[in-house]
Amino acid sequence: MPIAVDIDVMLAKRKMSVGELADRVGITPANLAVLKNGRAKAVRFTTLAALCEVLECQPGDLLRWEPDDPGHRDEAAHESGASVPAGPSPR
């Protein structure tokens, strides 16, 4: 999945257990484990906000995008004859 979850990194930085985080956020340890291990299909903004509040971090500290196949986009564009723009994408 292209979205990587770094909750374990923040837990280590804050010296906090999964159980303590789950309790303070108000979710079950099992649901937190699903999110932490990257098996979740979605996360509610209220849950993300609670995680950020308890861990004193930003959403970007917990979630990051990683391409499944770094060369996939360039190859697909090449095969279709489309051009891939150079540089960062506009926001």
Side-chain angles (χ1 to χ4, degrees):
M1 168 165 251
I3 301 297
V5 182
D6 291 327
I7 291 174
D8 53 345
V9 173
M10 291 307 296
L11 282 171
K13 286 182 179 180
R14 302 295 185 251
K15 297 183 170 120
M16 188 180 299
S17 70
V18 172
E20 180 183 353
L21 179 60
D23 186 51
R24 291 179 61 183
V25 169
I27 61 176
T28 66
N31 283 340
L32 181 57
V34 167
L35 179 60
K36 183 175 87 65
N37 295 324
R39 295 189 316 262
K41 299 291 182 197
V43 60
R44 290 187 174 138
F45 278 5
T46 54
T47 302
L48 183 58
L51 287 166
C52 290
E53 181 177 357
V54 171
L55 293 170
E56 298 178 352
C57 66
Q58 294 295 312
D61 296 325
L62 302 177
L63 304 172
R64 62 188 156 79
W65 178 80
E66 289 184 342
D68 281 335
D69 180 3
H72 177 72
R73 183 175 172 200
D74 292 339
E75 291 170 11
H78 178 71
E79 290 171 8
S80 69
S83 62
V84 177
S89 60
R91 291 191 181 231

